[in-house]
Each structure stands twice: as C-alpha cells, then as structure tokens.
Amino acid sequence: MLIVLSLGGSILAKNLDPDRFLKYADVLRKLSKKHTLLVVAGGGEAARNYIDTARAVGADEVTCDYIGIEITRLNAHLLAAALGPDACPEIPTNYLEASKAIRPGKVVVMGGVTPGQTTDAVAAILAEFLRADLLAIATSIDGVYSSDPNCDPSAVKYDKISPEKLINIVMAIEMKAGSKSPVDPVAAKIIERCKLDALVMDARDPVQLEEVLDREAAKKSPISCGTWITTKI
C-alpha cells in the first residue's frame, strides 16, 4: 500500500523534543517495511513563531509563507536524521522529486512546497500525484466534528464522511474567529477533486499511529481515534 502521511508539526516537533522525533521515526521505520511511505512534516509552533515575528518586522505574506516552508523542511531534516539509513537521503522540495525519491523500504520525508499551501494540502496533492492508496492526516484532533469541539461542546464526531460534507464543515469552521478545522479548505478540495480515501486521526501517541495505519488502513473501517473521508458511504 502506498501511504502519504501528513504529520502535523504540533505533534512531531512539540518543544523540539528529540525523543518525539525518535519515537515517530521508530513507527515510520516499521511501517516502511510493509508499505511505501511518504511523509510531509508540518511546521508546528516554531513555524508560527517565526511567521509572527516576520509579520511584526513588516514581511509580506508570501515571505511569511516561505519562512514557514523552511521550518517544515527543518522538521523534515530532523525526522530524516532520526530515521537514519531508513530515510531517503535527500529532502524533496517538489512533487516530482518526491516521486523520484521512492525506494523500497525507505521513508521519503519532505516539508512544504508552495506559498499559500499548508502541509496538509501538500500531502493531498502528493497523494493525488502518486495515486496513493491512502492519505493520512495525523494531528492532535481525533477526527472530524460537525463544528470545532474546542468551541462547541455539542459538536458531533463523524466516523465516516464524504468529501463534499467535509468541505462544508471546514469552510463553516474557518469562517468563525478562533476556530480551527482538522483539515484546511485547500486539502479538503483536493481530496474531493481526486476522490481520494483519506483518514484524519489523532496521532499524539506514535504507537497509535502505527496501529491505525498498519491494521485499520486495509480495512477502512470507522475507528474511535479518527474519521474516514470517503465517497463510499
């Protein structure tokens, strides 16, 4: 199975804890022995801090995007270092480079690509380009809800959801100040466009990431720690 994994910087690079990088690397190493695995690393708090500082000193938004991309690539380098010989040696900077970097048993790790795109969107586009079997969005939220559960205590979690419904939900959430959707609108549109099977899951525990992707991905069944996005409902 070819899996593209968007690994959120908020969970991978939290406090730049080396132990977290090593734990995720161990899980990815095991998964790569059974699946073809490409990982897009997010920027997390470090990217947000750099972008905030860039704005404060007068940088335009495109420059801020480029700064964020550099931070995601630094996180990708750290993860690749933690993987050691099990990672492809180069960090791809575009989709074609990522496709050419694929090797049996090796994990391809990359960061952002283009200003205006989150790493979720990069992962979705990469999954479409490679015709991946699965796009997994690993985050600190346990799935897709009817609204932001941090702001709405009556929010309902979905086990399965169509791409069209996902777009409606994320657009409504993004319009509300202070709310944050589990998938950004661009990634949601890409998932709809390519009719891609995708999984949004809570991966704060690296062990859970391994269990879900290794056991549940093939079954594509509803899981307590995530939401399947599929046209097959």
Side-chain angles (χ1 to χ4, degrees), residues 117-145:
Q117 293 179 348
T118 66
T119 45
D120 283 351
V122 170
I125 294 169
L126 181 62
E128 181 180 25
F129 181 57
L130 298 176
R131 298 184 179 182
D133 299 296
L134 174 67
L135 165 65
I137 298 175
T139 181
S140 57
I141 303 172
D142 66 341
V144 178
Y145 285 76

PDB file of all heavy atoms in Angstrom, residues 117-145:
ATOM      1  N   GLN A 117       0.065  27.188   0.606  1.00  0.00           N
ATOM      2  CA  GLN A 117      -0.387  25.823   0.860  1.00  0.00           C
ATOM      3  C   GLN A 117       0.094  25.351   2.230  1.00  0.00           C
ATOM      4  O   GLN A 117       1.266  25.515   2.566  1.00  0.00           O
ATOM      5  CB  GLN A 117       0.151  24.853  -0.201  1.00  0.00           C
ATOM      6  CG  GLN A 117      -0.403  25.060  -1.584  1.00  0.00           C
ATOM      7  CD  GLN A 117       0.198  24.078  -2.578  1.00  0.00           C
ATOM      8  OE1 GLN A 117       1.176  23.396  -2.287  1.00  0.00           O
ATOM      9  NE2 GLN A 117      -0.381  24.024  -3.755  1.00  0.00           N
ATOM     10  N   THR A 118      -0.796  24.746   2.990  1.00  0.00           N
ATOM     11  CA  THR A 118      -0.387  24.086   4.224  1.00  0.00           C
ATOM     12  C   THR A 118       0.231  22.738   3.875  1.00  0.00           C
ATOM     13  O   THR A 118       0.117  22.256   2.740  1.00  0.00           O
ATOM     14  CB  THR A 118      -1.590  23.852   5.147  1.00  0.00           C
ATOM     15  OG1 THR A 118      -2.468  22.902   4.511  1.00  0.00           O
ATOM     16  CG2 THR A 118      -2.332  25.143   5.431  1.00  0.00           C
ATOM     17  N   THR A 119       0.865  22.115   4.848  1.00  0.00           N
ATOM     18  CA  THR A 119       1.435  20.795   4.579  1.00  0.00           C
ATOM     19  C   THR A 119       0.338  19.741   4.382  1.00  0.00           C
ATOM     20  O   THR A 119       0.582  18.726   3.728  1.00  0.00           O
ATOM     21  CB  THR A 119       2.404  20.372   5.704  1.00  0.00           C
ATOM     22  OG1 THR A 119       1.829  20.657   6.986  1.00  0.00           O
ATOM     23  CG2 THR A 119       3.725  21.121   5.577  1.00  0.00           C
ATOM     24  N   ASP A 120      -0.860  19.963   4.924  1.00  0.00           N
ATOM     25  CA  ASP A 120      -1.979  19.066   4.613  1.00  0.00           C
ATOM     26  C   ASP A 120      -2.292  19.116   3.121  1.00  0.00           C
ATOM     27  O   ASP A 120      -2.524  18.085   2.482  1.00  0.00           O
ATOM     28  CB  ASP A 120      -3.237  19.461   5.398  1.00  0.00           C
ATOM     29  CG  ASP A 120      -3.202  19.025   6.852  1.00  0.00           C
ATOM     30  OD1 ASP A 120      -2.290  18.266   7.223  1.00  0.00           O
ATOM     31  OD2 ASP A 120      -4.089  19.453   7.616  1.00  0.00           O
ATOM     32  N   ALA A 121      -2.307  20.323   2.565  1.00  0.00           N
ATOM     33  CA  ALA A 121      -2.569  20.480   1.137  1.00  0.00           C
ATOM     34  C   ALA A 121      -1.454  19.852   0.310  1.00  0.00           C
ATOM     35  O   ALA A 121      -1.706  19.196  -0.705  1.00  0.00           O
ATOM     36  CB  ALA A 121      -2.727  21.953   0.786  1.00  0.00           C
ATOM     37  N   VAL A 122      -0.205  20.033   0.741  1.00  0.00           N
ATOM     38  CA  VAL A 122       0.927  19.414   0.051  1.00  0.00           C
ATOM     39  C   VAL A 122       0.768  17.895   0.034  1.00  0.00           C
ATOM     40  O   VAL A 122       0.966  17.242  -0.998  1.00  0.00           O
ATOM     41  CB  VAL A 122       2.258  19.807   0.727  1.00  0.00           C
ATOM     42  CG1 VAL A 122       3.422  18.980   0.162  1.00  0.00           C
ATOM     43  CG2 VAL A 122       2.530  21.291   0.534  1.00  0.00           C
ATOM     44  N   ALA A 123       0.408  17.331   1.185  1.00  0.00           N
ATOM     45  CA  ALA A 123       0.229  15.883   1.274  1.00  0.00           C
ATOM     46  C   ALA A 123      -0.907  15.412   0.370  1.00  0.00           C
ATOM     47  O   ALA A 123      -0.801  14.361  -0.291  1.00  0.00           O
ATOM     48  CB  ALA A 123      -0.032  15.467   2.718  1.00  0.00           C
ATOM     49  N   ALA A 124      -1.993  16.176   0.308  1.00  0.00           N
ATOM     50  CA  ALA A 124      -3.129  15.804  -0.534  1.00  0.00           C
ATOM     51  C   ALA A 124      -2.747  15.834  -2.011  1.00  0.00           C
ATOM     52  O   ALA A 124      -3.093  14.923  -2.771  1.00  0.00           O
ATOM     53  CB  ALA A 124      -4.309  16.730  -0.266  1.00  0.00           C
ATOM     54  N   ILE A 125      -2.027  16.870  -2.417  1.00  0.00           N
ATOM     55  CA  ILE A 125      -1.584  16.971  -3.809  1.00  0.00           C
ATOM     56  C   ILE A 125      -0.600  15.850  -4.132  1.00  0.00           C
ATOM     57  O   ILE A 125      -0.660  15.235  -5.208  1.00  0.00           O
ATOM     58  CB  ILE A 125      -0.960  18.348  -4.081  1.00  0.00           C
ATOM     59  CG1 ILE A 125      -2.025  19.435  -3.950  1.00  0.00           C
ATOM     60  CG2 ILE A 125      -0.314  18.399  -5.460  1.00  0.00           C
ATOM     61  CD1 ILE A 125      -1.475  20.850  -3.934  1.00  0.00           C
ATOM     62  N   LEU A 126       0.312  15.560  -3.212  1.00  0.00           N
ATOM     63  CA  LEU A 126       1.271  14.474  -3.416  1.00  0.00           C
ATOM     64  C   LEU A 126       0.546  13.138  -3.547  1.00  0.00           C
ATOM     65  O   LEU A 126       0.887  12.318  -4.415  1.00  0.00           O
ATOM     66  CB  LEU A 126       2.259  14.429  -2.252  1.00  0.00           C
ATOM     67  CG  LEU A 126       3.354  13.362  -2.324  1.00  0.00           C
ATOM     68  CD1 LEU A 126       4.237  13.577  -3.544  1.00  0.00           C
ATOM     69  CD2 LEU A 126       4.189  13.356  -1.049  1.00  0.00           C
ATOM     70  N   ALA A 127      -0.463  12.929  -2.702  1.00  0.00           N
ATOM     71  CA  ALA A 127      -1.231  11.685  -2.776  1.00  0.00           C
ATOM     72  C   ALA A 127      -1.948  11.564  -4.117  1.00  0.00           C
ATOM     73  O   ALA A 127      -2.013  10.480  -4.716  1.00  0.00           O
ATOM     74  CB  ALA A 127      -2.235  11.627  -1.629  1.00  0.00           C
ATOM     75  N   GLU A 128      -2.475  12.680  -4.613  1.00  0.00           N
ATOM     76  CA  GLU A 128      -3.136  12.665  -5.921  1.00  0.00           C
ATOM     77  C   GLU A 128      -2.122  12.378  -7.024  1.00  0.00           C
ATOM     78  O   GLU A 128      -2.363  11.563  -7.923  1.00  0.00           O
ATOM     79  CB  GLU A 128      -3.829  13.998  -6.181  1.00  0.00           C
ATOM     80  CG  GLU A 128      -4.564  14.041  -7.514  1.00  0.00           C
ATOM     81  CD  GLU A 128      -5.244  15.365  -7.779  1.00  0.00           C
ATOM     82  OE1 GLU A 128      -4.805  16.388  -7.221  1.00  0.00           O
ATOM     83  OE2 GLU A 128      -6.217  15.380  -8.546  1.00  0.00           O
ATOM     84  N   PHE A 129      -0.981  13.049  -6.959  1.00  0.00           N
ATOM     85  CA  PHE A 129       0.058  12.892  -7.983  1.00  0.00           C
ATOM     86  C   PHE A 129       0.560  11.452  -8.056  1.00  0.00           C
ATOM     87  O   PHE A 129       0.794  10.919  -9.147  1.00  0.00           O
ATOM     88  CB  PHE A 129       1.215  13.844  -7.660  1.00  0.00           C
ATOM     89  CG  PHE A 129       2.355  13.809  -8.635  1.00  0.00           C
ATOM     90  CD1 PHE A 129       2.150  14.063  -9.979  1.00  0.00           C
ATOM     91  CD2 PHE A 129       3.642  13.522  -8.211  1.00  0.00           C
ATOM     92  CE1 PHE A 129       3.203  14.029 -10.886  1.00  0.00           C
ATOM     93  CE2 PHE A 129       4.705  13.487  -9.098  1.00  0.00           C
ATOM     94  CZ  PHE A 129       4.475  13.747 -10.450  1.00  0.00           C
ATOM     95  N   LEU A 130       0.721  10.826  -6.905  1.00  0.00           N
ATOM     96  CA  LEU A 130       1.249   9.454  -6.851  1.00  0.00           C
ATOM     97  C   LEU A 130       0.157   8.386  -6.929  1.00  0.00           C
ATOM     98  O   LEU A 130       0.462   7.203  -6.925  1.00  0.00           O
ATOM     99  CB  LEU A 130       2.050   9.263  -5.555  1.00  0.00           C
ATOM    100  CG  LEU A 130       3.284  10.144  -5.378  1.00  0.00           C
ATOM    101  CD1 LEU A 130       3.900   9.904  -4.009  1.00  0.00           C
ATOM    102  CD2 LEU A 130       4.303   9.871  -6.472  1.00  0.00           C
ATOM    103  N   ARG A 131      -1.103   8.835  -6.952  1.00  0.00           N
ATOM    104  CA  ARG A 131      -2.246   7.905  -6.914  1.00  0.00           C
ATOM    105  C   ARG A 131      -2.131   6.989  -5.689  1.00  0.00           C
ATOM    106  O   ARG A 131      -2.212   5.755  -5.786  1.00  0.00           O
ATOM    107  CB  ARG A 131      -2.331   7.086  -8.210  1.00  0.00           C
ATOM    108  CG  ARG A 131      -2.544   7.946  -9.438  1.00  0.00           C
ATOM    109  CD  ARG A 131      -2.717   7.137 -10.698  1.00  0.00           C
ATOM    110  NE  ARG A 131      -2.937   8.010 -11.855  1.00  0.00           N
ATOM    111  CZ  ARG A 131      -3.151   7.593 -13.089  1.00  0.00           C
ATOM    112  NH1 ARG A 131      -3.166   6.287 -13.332  1.00  0.00           N
ATOM    113  NH2 ARG A 131      -3.329   8.445 -14.074  1.00  0.00           N
ATOM    114  N   ALA A 132      -1.926   7.607  -4.559  1.00  0.00           N
ATOM    115  CA  ALA A 132      -1.737   6.867  -3.307  1.00  0.00           C
ATOM    116  C   ALA A 132      -2.994   6.082  -2.938  1.00  0.00           C
ATOM    117  O   ALA A 132      -4.121   6.459  -3.299  1.00  0.00           O
ATOM    118  CB  ALA A 132      -1.380   7.823  -2.185  1.00  0.00           C
ATOM    119  N   ASP A 133      -2.789   5.012  -2.214  1.00  0.00           N
ATOM    120  CA  ASP A 133      -3.919   4.225  -1.710  1.00  0.00           C
ATOM    121  C   ASP A 133      -4.586   4.924  -0.543  1.00  0.00           C
ATOM    122  O   ASP A 133      -5.783   4.743  -0.303  1.00  0.00           O
ATOM    123  CB  ASP A 133      -3.435   2.837  -1.269  1.00  0.00           C
ATOM    124  CG  ASP A 133      -2.831   2.054  -2.419  1.00  0.00           C
ATOM    125  OD1 ASP A 133      -3.557   1.750  -3.368  1.00  0.00           O
ATOM    126  OD2 ASP A 133      -1.617   1.769  -2.359  1.00  0.00           O
ATOM    127  N   LEU A 134      -3.808   5.716   0.194  1.00  0.00           N
ATOM    128  CA  LEU A 134      -4.343   6.366   1.382  1.00  0.00           C
ATOM    129  C   LEU A 134      -3.601   7.657   1.683  1.00  0.00           C
ATOM    130  O   LEU A 134      -2.379   7.707   1.605  1.00  0.00           O
ATOM    131  CB  LEU A 134      -4.231   5.428   2.592  1.00  0.00           C
ATOM    132  CG  LEU A 134      -4.609   6.003   3.962  1.00  0.00           C
ATOM    133  CD1 LEU A 134      -6.107   6.318   4.017  1.00  0.00           C
ATOM    134  CD2 LEU A 134      -4.229   5.046   5.082  1.00  0.00           C
ATOM    135  N   LEU A 135      -4.363   8.682   2.028  1.00  0.00           N
ATOM    136  CA  LEU A 135      -3.815   9.901   2.603  1.00  0.00           C
ATOM    137  C   LEU A 135      -4.185   9.906   4.071  1.00  0.00           C
ATOM    138  O   LEU A 135      -5.362   9.825   4.419  1.00  0.00           O
ATOM    139  CB  LEU A 135      -4.409  11.131   1.917  1.00  0.00           C
ATOM    140  CG  LEU A 135      -4.207  12.481   2.630  1.00  0.00           C
ATOM    141  CD1 LEU A 135      -2.728  12.848   2.670  1.00  0.00           C
ATOM    142  CD2 LEU A 135      -5.019  13.572   1.955  1.00  0.00           C
ATOM    143  N   ALA A 136      -3.187   9.980   4.940  1.00  0.00           N
ATOM    144  CA  ALA A 136      -3.442  10.031   6.382  1.00  0.00           C
ATOM    145  C   ALA A 136      -3.006  11.396   6.912  1.00  0.00           C
ATOM    146  O   ALA A 136      -1.879  11.829   6.660  1.00  0.00           O
ATOM    147  CB  ALA A 136      -2.685   8.925   7.102  1.00  0.00           C
ATOM    148  N   ILE A 137      -3.908  12.065   7.603  1.00  0.00           N
ATOM    149  CA  ILE A 137      -3.608  13.355   8.215  1.00  0.00           C
ATOM    150  C   ILE A 137      -3.519  13.145   9.717  1.00  0.00           C
ATOM    151  O   ILE A 137      -4.530  12.957  10.396  1.00  0.00           O
ATOM    152  CB  ILE A 137      -4.683  14.400   7.857  1.00  0.00           C
ATOM    153  CG1 ILE A 137      -4.716  14.618   6.333  1.00  0.00           C
ATOM    154  CG2 ILE A 137      -4.418  15.717   8.586  1.00  0.00           C
ATOM    155  CD1 ILE A 137      -5.821  15.533   5.859  1.00  0.00           C
ATOM    156  N   ALA A 138      -2.289  13.104  10.219  1.00  0.00           N
ATOM    157  CA  ALA A 138      -2.032  12.824  11.634  1.00  0.00           C
ATOM    158  C   ALA A 138      -1.935  14.146  12.388  1.00  0.00           C
ATOM    159  O   ALA A 138      -1.078  14.976  12.100  1.00  0.00           O
ATOM    160  CB  ALA A 138      -0.739  12.030  11.779  1.00  0.00           C
ATOM    161  N   THR A 139      -2.815  14.314  13.353  1.00  0.00           N
ATOM    162  CA  THR A 139      -2.916  15.587  14.030  1.00  0.00           C
ATOM    163  C   THR A 139      -3.176  15.378  15.519  1.00  0.00           C
ATOM    164  O   THR A 139      -3.054  14.257  16.023  1.00  0.00           O
ATOM    165  CB  THR A 139      -4.049  16.421  13.369  1.00  0.00           C
ATOM    166  OG1 THR A 139      -4.139  17.688  14.014  1.00  0.00           O
ATOM    167  CG2 THR A 139      -5.373  15.706  13.434  1.00  0.00           C
ATOM    168  N   SER A 140      -3.532  16.459  16.210  1.00  0.00           N
ATOM    169  CA  SER A 140      -3.815  16.357  17.645  1.00  0.00           C
ATOM    170  C   SER A 140      -5.318  16.296  17.909  1.00  0.00           C
ATOM    171  O   SER A 140      -5.747  16.382  19.053  1.00  0.00           O
ATOM    172  CB  SER A 140      -3.206  17.557  18.382  1.00  0.00           C
ATOM    173  OG  SER A 140      -3.710  18.772  17.851  1.00  0.00           O
ATOM    174  N   ILE A 141      -6.112  16.162  16.856  1.00  0.00           N
ATOM    175  CA  ILE A 141      -7.567  16.064  16.969  1.00  0.00           C
ATOM    176  C   ILE A 141      -7.994  14.661  16.542  1.00  0.00           C
ATOM    177  O   ILE A 141      -7.450  14.117  15.582  1.00  0.00           O
ATOM    178  CB  ILE A 141      -8.255  17.117  16.079  1.00  0.00           C
ATOM    179  CG1 ILE A 141      -7.769  18.518  16.449  1.00  0.00           C
ATOM    180  CG2 ILE A 141      -9.767  17.039  16.198  1.00  0.00           C
ATOM    181  CD1 ILE A 141      -8.238  19.606  15.523  1.00  0.00           C
ATOM    182  N   ASP A 142      -8.955  14.083  17.247  1.00  0.00           N
ATOM    183  CA  ASP A 142      -9.319  12.681  16.999  1.00  0.00           C
ATOM    184  C   ASP A 142     -10.362  12.516  15.896  1.00  0.00           C
ATOM    185  O   ASP A 142     -11.163  11.585  15.924  1.00  0.00           O
ATOM    186  CB  ASP A 142      -9.803  12.015  18.289  1.00  0.00           C
ATOM    187  CG  ASP A 142     -11.103  12.613  18.806  1.00  0.00           C
ATOM    188  OD1 ASP A 142     -11.435  13.741  18.399  1.00  0.00           O
ATOM    189  OD2 ASP A 142     -11.766  11.948  19.624  1.00  0.00           O
ATOM    190  N   GLY A 143     -10.356  13.395  14.901  1.00  0.00           N
ATOM    191  CA  GLY A 143     -11.256  13.222  13.785  1.00  0.00           C
ATOM    192  C   GLY A 143     -11.953  14.503  13.382  1.00  0.00           C
ATOM    193  O   GLY A 143     -11.612  15.601  13.838  1.00  0.00           O
ATOM    194  N   VAL A 144     -12.932  14.350  12.513  1.00  0.00           N
ATOM    195  CA  VAL A 144     -13.707  15.482  12.007  1.00  0.00           C
ATOM    196  C   VAL A 144     -15.007  15.592  12.781  1.00  0.00           C
ATOM    197  O   VAL A 144     -15.731  14.599  12.945  1.00  0.00           O
ATOM    198  CB  VAL A 144     -14.012  15.316  10.505  1.00  0.00           C
ATOM    199  CG1 VAL A 144     -14.866  16.478   9.996  1.00  0.00           C
ATOM    200  CG2 VAL A 144     -12.717  15.213   9.702  1.00  0.00           C
ATOM    201  N   TYR A 145     -15.309  16.792  13.253  1.00  0.00           N
ATOM    202  CA  TYR A 145     -16.532  17.057  14.013  1.00  0.00           C
ATOM    203  C   TYR A 145     -17.454  17.979  13.215  1.00  0.00           C
ATOM    204  O   TYR A 145     -17.020  18.651  12.270  1.00  0.00           O
ATOM    205  CB  TYR A 145     -16.192  17.716  15.347  1.00  0.00           C
ATOM    206  CG  TYR A 145     -15.618  16.784  16.389  1.00  0.00           C
ATOM    207  CD1 TYR A 145     -14.301  16.348  16.301  1.00  0.00           C
ATOM    208  CD2 TYR A 145     -16.387  16.340  17.457  1.00  0.00           C
ATOM    209  CE1 TYR A 145     -13.763  15.495  17.258  1.00  0.00           C
ATOM    210  CE2 TYR A 145     -15.856  15.487  18.426  1.00  0.00           C
ATOM    211  CZ  TYR A 145     -14.544  15.069  18.320  1.00  0.00           C
ATOM    212  OH  TYR A 145     -14.016  14.222  19.270  1.00  0.00           O
TER     213      TYR A 145
END
